[in-house]
Amino acid sequence: MALWVEKHRPATLDKLSFHQGLSEHLKKLAGSGDLPHLLVYGPAGAGKRTRIAAVLREIYGPGAEKLRVSQRVFETPSRRKLEISFISSNYHIEVNPSDAGIYDRVVIQDLIKEVAQTQQVATTSARKFKIVVVHEADALSRDAQHALRRTMEKYMTNMRVILCSTSTGKIISPVQSRCLLVRVAAPTVDEVVDVMGQVAKKEGITIPPPLARQLAEGSKRNLHRALLMLEAAYVQQYPFAETQPVVLPEWEAYTKDIAAAALGSQTPARLMEIRKQLYEVLAHCIPPSMVLKVIALHLISEVDEALRPEVARQAAFYEHRLQIGQKAIVHLEAFIAKFMSIYKRHAMATD
Amino acid sequence: MDFFRSGKATEQAVAKSRAGDGGKRDERAVPWVEKYRPKNIDDVTAQEEVVQVLRKSLETKNLPHLLFYGPPGTGKTSTILALARDMYGPEAIRARVLELNASDERGIGVVREKVKNFARVAVGQADPGYSSPPYKIVILDEADSMTTDAQSALRRIMEKYSHVTRFCLVCNYVSRIIEPLASRCAKFRFKSLPRDLAVTRVNHVAQAEGVACRDGAVQALVDYSEGDLRRAMMSLQSASRMVQGAALDADMVAELAGVIPPGVIQGLRAAWAADAHSSQEAVDALVYAGYPASRVLAQLHDLVVSDQQLGSLQKAKIAMLMASVDKALCDGADEKLQLLNLMLQASRIAQAASA
């Protein structure tokens, strides 16, 4: 049985429920028989992939949904063999550069060249180009992006690239200037509630409006997450109670506990306890920057108004350190210790 | 049909169909940037000094090694291609010019091998209608992304083959070209296109392609692309596909260029005067809307620089803050935390002023 998120994913542009204007634009683009390179960006769970899939379907018809997994071997300049698997249909191919690690340049280059050299056999489809979808394009190395520059212009006749990323900040500007930028904003809380209502209707269940609103807010306007939470709540208790507690992901609740612990008392002993908890979270493969972010945002909203800028500054500082550094726990702990120090000093000064 | 293995059969089919329609490519698929590249050296917009020198070398058939540098989209590649076409004519250009760029494999080995092979072949039949001087041209596009080792290897190659080839290095940052290489070339700096010339050019293309533009749309297009003509052209083409016959206006251009509406940025500036909570909300709204942090930073910076209410010292402090945030963003730090930091610190600086 498929998850509700997958099961009720809209397949065509007409069925998308929010950002009507954008859908309209995409439809025009897809309908014109030609497509520029696209760079689709927006926060997680806003529907980037859904929109890309819908555009593909609009262009190629239902054939674009017949997906299969194929494998291919690439050879790096140092003669190492890489085996990468792709999802592809007859018309498009999807890659995720994180599979290729530091060799993403080779994969992207070879792949695009091959796709570009094999022209579409004139079957029913009138389209002359194939599409390469690159997911998580912000993870592409600089090398790989430079390799894209000229390739995108050179092979424009028979292939198009669709890049999908959460932010354009890490995409180099020469690549950006070759793409049509498509921004997909997060849905508003009302829109999330609306979509949840539709899914509930299709599943034949009823959902009390207060609960729906609570779920939507808990998901932080991430539709993907909201639907998962709805399903989790359904499994937990049905029929729904109006005041049913919203199930947050376990790690998030746990991480918030850490923040609460740091607020509770500021002693070396408490720091040692928190260290254990941090290790626990990291051992469950939660990305360290995410942990720091959740803790920091929680702390910022809890502390005194006057203290907020300082906490934000330290959070930003240590999160940056975390990105360029090697060992996550060091920076997480340093942040907690720093926070305890400024919090206590502030408390003593105001006493 | 397998995605990859169908290659051969398809290629043959394509070759046949190509032969059938006389190699005519689908008009719509050609990027306008390629379609409207200057055909000869006199077509090159702006850059008078460069053009003058090159025209002279066309007459005398004497050409030094060249080094073109300048910001993207100012016509460096176009100029050298136009020069080559003027020299050899559209047919012979294929045999006489070798273009290498960062998309191709370009280690030391490859440069050596390719250049050597290219230089070794004797110059072919010259087109009688053109001056066709007795040397070939190697264009190394995006030369600043070549490694220092590869550049060092190039030194000797350049001298050794100088009787049959001329090199043209094209790059954005001349500082990334090693000194010995730079000293072997005649350097030309390409300056950013003046606004009115860029506008004329974009207008010309818009008319030729039949894109209807409202007042100010072309100006906006040029402004957002910051002197980069290629970017302006690409945006124009994308925009024309999106509007499909309707007229293009300035707002639409802004949305396509990924520019954040000025109102949003002004809202951020306004939040500095209020309490921390409003800053937090403003950042939340930004992140949910999916605006990239680097862009926010750039536009906010423009606003701050011309802000009347802030003193010089405050502006300097905010600029320092922005620099550190920008660095952190480049290193891949979390956008939300960095923006929040920026907003809260900046509001502290701004409020210290009014107090």
Side-chain angles (χ1 to χ4, degrees):
Chain A
M1 195 186 94
L3 289 172
W4 290 356
V5 177
E6 296 300 329
K7 204 164 142 194
H8 301 295
R9 192 184 281 276
T12 58
L13 285 172
D14 296 325
K15 287 193 187 137
L16 292 170
S17 50
F18 49 88
H19 299 327
Q20 297 297 351
L22 179 62
S23 304
E24 204 57 33
H25 273 319
L26 288 175
K27 205 166 169 183
K28 266 194 203 160
L29 272 183
S32 72
D34 194 12
L35 192 77
H37 299 301
L38 296 181
L39 170 56
V40 183
Y41 66 103
K48 300 187 290 292
R49 283 191 188 206
T50 311
R51 279 179 176 71
I52 292 176
V55 167
L56 287 174
R57 194 190 144 114
E58 183 79 29
I59 295 175
Y60 297 114
E65 281 168 8
K66 285 187 198 120
L67 299 177
R68 61 173 168 268
V69 177
S70 52
Q71 292 209 321
R72 232 177 74 86
V73 178
F74 291 96
E75 195 173 314
T76 65
S78 54
R79 307 248 172 272
R80 249 196 70 190
K81 293 236 166 41
L82 286 173
E83 203 176 297
I84 309 265
S85 42
F86 299 106
I87 297 174
S88 64
S89 75
N90 283 344
Y91 309 106
H92 82 287
I93 184 161
E94 298 183 19
V95 273
N96 201 328
S98 56
D99 295 344
I102 58 165
Y103 297 113
D104 55 352
R105 186 178 67 94
V106 183
V107 173
I108 287 283
Q109 224 161 30
D110 284 10
L111 187 74
I112 290 186
K113 267 185 194 155
E114 261 195 78
V115 171
Q117 277 159 12
T118 60
Q119 275 206 2
Q120 198 82 274
V121 187
T123 48
T124 48
S125 153
R127 310 290 176 222
K128 292 208 170 113
F129 53 85
K130 285 182 178 179
I131 290 182
V132 178
V133 181
V134 182
H135 291 301
E136 289 170 40
D138 34 5
L140 278 178
S141 67
R142 294 226 144 198
D143 261 1
Q145 294 190 32
H146 275 294
L148 267 181
R149 281 166 76 149
R150 186 75 187 134
T151 324
M152 280 167 85
E153 279 182 358
K154 216 154 132 192
Y155 299 115
M156 182 97 185
T157 29
N158 38 17
M159 71 99 206
R160 299 287 187 279
V161 180
I162 298 184
L163 301 167
C164 175
S165 86
T166 47
S167 167
T168 58
K170 279 170 211 152
I171 312 279
I172 59 171
S173 60
V175 171
Q176 276 190 43
S177 76
R178 284 170 176 78
C179 295
L180 177 62
L181 302 179
V182 178
R183 182 171 61 88
V184 184
T188 62
V189 171
D190 289 333
E191 283 163 343
V192 175
V193 169
D194 188 41
V195 173
M196 277 201 283
Q198 289 173 22
V199 169
K201 206 167 152 196
K202 277 189 210 148
E203 284 293 325
I205 58 174
T206 50
I207 170 168
L211 180 67
R213 181 150 282 275
Q214 220 180 336
L215 282 169
E217 272 157 15
S219 72
K220 306 224 176 79
R221 292 166 65 180
N222 179 335
L223 189 56
H224 191 262
R225 208 166 144 195
L227 289 180
L228 285 176
M229 279 162 67
L230 175 65
E231 195 168 357
Y234 172 71
V235 171
Q236 194 188 37
Q237 182 190 351
Y238 187 79
F240 294 123
E242 284 218 354
T243 50
Q244 185 173 351
V246 171
V247 198
L248 282 179
E250 204 166 326
W251 70 270
E252 205 173 315
Y254 195 76
T255 317
K256 277 192 176 153
D257 284 348
I258 299 180
L263 279 167
S265 105
Q266 296 81 35
T267 56
R270 181 54 70 88
L271 189 58
M272 291 304 283
E273 278 170 36
I274 289 179
R275 165 186 287 181
K276 264 192 218 117
Q277 288 174 303
L278 285 175
Y279 264 122
E280 180 79 22
V281 180
L282 291 182
H284 283 86
C285 290
I286 309 294
S289 65
M290 198 98 123
V291 175
L292 201 147
K293 191 169 151 187
V294 171
I295 295 182
L297 291 178
H298 190 68
L299 288 178
I300 291 171
S301 56
E302 290 292 313
V303 298
D304 214 29
E305 175 92 27
L307 210 53
R308 284 180 188 178
E310 188 56 23
V311 178
R313 191 159 75 111
Q314 296 305 338
F317 177 79
Y318 284 106
E319 204 273 335
H320 177 209
R321 280 287 179 86
L322 188 72
Q323 292 293 343
I324 46 180
Q326 285 275 332
K327 210 161 161 52
I329 187 76
V330 182
H331 304 287
L332 285 174
E333 249 182 58
F335 171 63
I336 299 284
K338 189 81 195 173
F339 168 74
M340 284 183 169
S341 140
I342 45 179
Y343 187 72
K344 193 154 198 180
R345 196 163 293 164
H346 180 75
M348 276 156 80
T350 46
D351 272 348
Chain B
M1 184 190 75
D2 191 281
F3 198 78
F4 287 113
R5 245 170 270 154
S6 57
K8 276 233 169 94
T10 340
E11 257 167 1
Q12 280 164 2
V14 170
K16 263 186 205 159
S17 70
R18 275 266 166 85
D21 60 22
K24 209 178 99 192
R25 290 206 295 182
D26 185 4
E27 279 281 295
R28 302 174 66 177
V30 183
W32 293 352
V33 179
E34 298 291 336
K35 199 169 163 190
Y36 293 97
R37 257 191 211 286
K39 294 285 182 300
N40 56 53
I41 195 98
D42 296 314
D43 270 358
V44 177
T45 317
Q47 327 296 358
E48 292 84 10
E49 298 93 344
V50 184
V51 169
Q52 211 169 10
V53 173
L54 292 180
R55 201 175 289 134
K56 200 100 197 160
S57 74
L58 255 181
E59 286 161 14
T60 58
K61 295 193 181 188
N62 194 3
L63 192 72
H65 294 304
L66 300 170
L67 173 58
F68 290 174
Y69 65 101
T74 47
K76 300 180 293 295
T77 313
S78 300
T79 306
I80 185 66
L81 286 177
L83 177 74
R85 200 174 289 117
D86 272 358
M87 274 184 171
Y88 306 120
E91 286 309 313
I93 190 170
R94 277 190 210 127
R96 298 279 196 122
V97 175
L98 174 69
E99 197 187 341
L100 292 171
N101 63 54
S103 310
D104 306 314
E105 198 54 61
R106 213 170 41 169
I108 317 172
V110 178
V111 170
R112 216 175 260 156
E113 201 61 26
K114 272 203 169 169
V115 172
K116 213 183 263 178
N117 284 339
F118 176 72
R120 204 158 44 196
V121 181
V123 283
Q125 198 67 48
D127 203 322
Y130 296 87
S131 61
S132 294
Y135 45 77
K136 310 181 191 185
I137 295 181
V138 178
I139 304 171
L140 291 171
D141 215 341
E142 293 151 36
D144 39 7
S145 64
M146 282 170 89
T147 58
T148 325
D149 283 347
Q151 291 188 31
S152 309
L154 205 59
R155 292 161 39 169
R156 190 75 196 112
I157 300 178
M158 271 171 84
E159 282 181 350
K160 208 164 147 195
Y161 295 104
S162 64
H163 59 288
V164 275
T165 58
R166 293 290 181 274
F167 282 80
C168 177
L169 306 177
V170 177
C171 63
N172 294 136
Y173 305 102
V174 73
S175 53
R176 298 222 190 113
I177 303 290
I178 59 169
E179 190 49 42
L181 209 53
S183 74
R184 281 173 173 76
C185 303
K187 284 187 236 174
F188 293 101
R189 188 183 131 66
F190 282 64
K191 48 187 187 298
S192 260
L193 252 68
R195 188 162 175 272
D196 47 338
L197 276 176
V199 170
T200 331
R201 192 82 196 158
V202 173
N203 252 330
H204 165 73
V205 172
Q207 262 162 25
E209 290 290 336
V211 183
C213 294
R214 291 239 175 84
D215 284 350
V218 172
Q219 279 78 358
L221 208 57
V222 170
D223 286 344
Y224 292 138
S225 49
E226 290 158 1
D228 183 342
L229 196 57
R230 173 176 46 211
R231 193 158 168 193
M233 294 277 187
M234 288 303 272
S235 316
L236 180 68
Q237 190 172 14
S238 308
S240 77
R241 281 192 187 119
M242 204 130 174
V243 296
Q244 303 267 318
L248 201 64
D249 60 32
D251 290 344
M252 211 176 282
V253 170
E255 174 66 28
L256 285 174
V259 173
I260 302 164
V264 175
I265 299 292
Q266 245 127 39
L268 287 181
R269 171 68 187 84
W272 289 355
D275 59 347
H277 187 66
S278 55
S279 288
Q280 274 166 281
E281 273 184 351
V283 170
D284 269 354
L286 263 187
V287 173
Y288 284 138
Y291 292 119
S294 46
R295 191 84 222 188
V296 174
L297 203 62
Q299 283 185 238
L300 202 53
H301 179 259
D302 287 347
L303 190 72
V304 166
V305 168
S306 58
D307 197 316
Q308 299 291 334
Q309 291 166 9
L310 295 172
S312 304
L313 186 62
Q314 286 173 308
K315 280 185 190 168
K317 276 184 184 160
I318 292 179
M320 251 165 83
L321 178 69
M322 283 179 165
S324 67
V325 169
D326 188 53
K327 162 71 178 150
L329 286 175
C330 282
D331 286 338
D334 186 80
E335 299 200 340
K336 189 168 177 183
L337 281 180
Q338 292 297 334
L339 279 179
L340 195 57
N341 175 32
L342 172 75
M343 290 295 291
L344 292 180
Q345 304 301 325
S347 96
R348 196 150 72 170
I349 296 169
Q351 282 176 11
S354 48

